[in-house]
Amino acid sequence: MTDTITIPGYKAGTWTIDPSHSEVSFSVRHLLISKVKGKFEKFDATFVTAENPLDSTVTAKVEVASINTNDENRDGHLRTNDFFDAPSHPELTFVSTGIRYEGGDFLVDGDLTIKGVTKPVTFDLEFGGFQDDLYGNYKAGLTATTKINRNDFGVSWNAPLEAGGVLVGDEVTITIDLQASLQK
């Protein structure tokens, strides 16, 4: 592990999400032959980048009721206790516990809470870069990806299929595409 990392264009400070250029999405196997994809329409995050990038932090939250898989009936079912239990657990949260640089890759460790269950996860982080926008705002772009087993978080509903197997896969890929603005 390296003690200090240099990233071209990197600046220390507090960053907030630009929601019109960001997305929190997921995919999971359906019928074990294809993938259902969805996203959360309402989310927020704050990054505090330190002089040393490895000392930076992130906190994020997602509004469960904002789930959108392009199927109202499925979205309604996902909000129930069978899945996310939105009335009792209205937010998913993530709080970083550390950032590592290993083998040329940035890894963000943290605690993910879904349905009241908190587990450690690691996101693979890919920097898109840094750029001034047309209005003089300094922007950062990044993609963070992780895979979780939904059963680890108590999201365990399923239905057996006549031909064998189950309706919903256990592994969920979470992808976060973000553009953030450095606060002045």
Side-chain angles (χ1 to χ4, degrees), residues 3 8 12 31 36 42 59 74 99-100 116 125 141 145 153 163 168:
D3 292 332
L31 299 174
V36 166
K42 295 181 181 177
T59 56
R74 178 174 46 226
I99 299 175
R100 298 177 281 140
L125 188 63
T145 306
F153 295 90
V168 183

Side-chain angles (χ1 to χ4, degrees), residues 38 117 176:
V117 177
I176 303 168

Side-chain angles (χ1 to χ4, degrees), residues 69-138:
T69 64
N70 293 319
D71 183 312
E72 282 186 38
N73 289 331
R74 178 174 46 226
D75 295 345
H77 189 201
L78 289 169
R79 290 181 189 107
T80 71
N81 191 41
D82 284 347
F83 289 95
F84 292 109
D85 192 9
S88 298
H89 305 283
E91 292 181 341
L92 312 177
T93 62
F94 177 80
V95 177
S96 66
T97 57
I99 299 175
R100 298 177 281 140
Y101 186 71
E102 294 179 2
D105 296 322
F106 284 95
L107 304 170
V108 179
D109 298 314
D111 293 325
L112 178 64
T113 302
I114 300 175
K115 202 175 178 181
V117 177
T118 302
K119 298 282 184 182
V121 299
T122 299
F123 280 90
D124 294 317
L125 188 63
E126 176 189 336
F127 281 106
F130 300 91
Q131 184 70 264
D132 287 312
D133 70 9
L134 298 175
Y135 308 101
N137 299 303
Y138 198 62

Side-chain angles (χ1 to χ4, degrees), residues 3-114:
D3 292 332
T4 302
I5 298 294
T6 301
I7 303 169
Y10 177 90
K11 292 182 182 181
T14 299
W15 302 74
T16 56
I17 298 302
D18 176 350
S20 64
H21 295 102
S22 301
E23 182 175 86
V24 176
S25 61
F26 62 90
S27 66
V28 63
R29 289 276 175 197
H30 181 254
L31 299 174
L32 303 182
I33 59 170
S34 64
K35 291 182 181 178
V36 166
K37 296 181 179 186
K39 62 184 177 178
F40 293 94
E41 303 285 348
K42 295 181 181 177
F43 53 89
D44 192 23
T46 300
F47 301 86
V48 178
T49 52
E51 291 299 324
N52 178 356
L54 300 180
D55 295 330
S56 300
T57 61
V58 61
T59 56
K61 64 181 177 179
V62 171
E63 185 179 307
V64 172
S66 74
I67 196 165
N68 181 352
T69 64
N70 293 319
D71 183 312
E72 282 186 38
N73 289 331
R74 178 174 46 226
D75 295 345
H77 189 201
L78 289 169
R79 290 181 189 107
T80 71
N81 191 41
D82 284 347
F83 289 95
F84 292 109
D85 192 9
S88 298
H89 305 283
E91 292 181 341
L92 312 177
T93 62
F94 177 80
V95 177
S96 66
T97 57
I99 299 175
R100 298 177 281 140
Y101 186 71
E102 294 179 2
D105 296 322
F106 284 95
L107 304 170
V108 179
D109 298 314
D111 293 325
L112 178 64
T113 302
I114 300 175

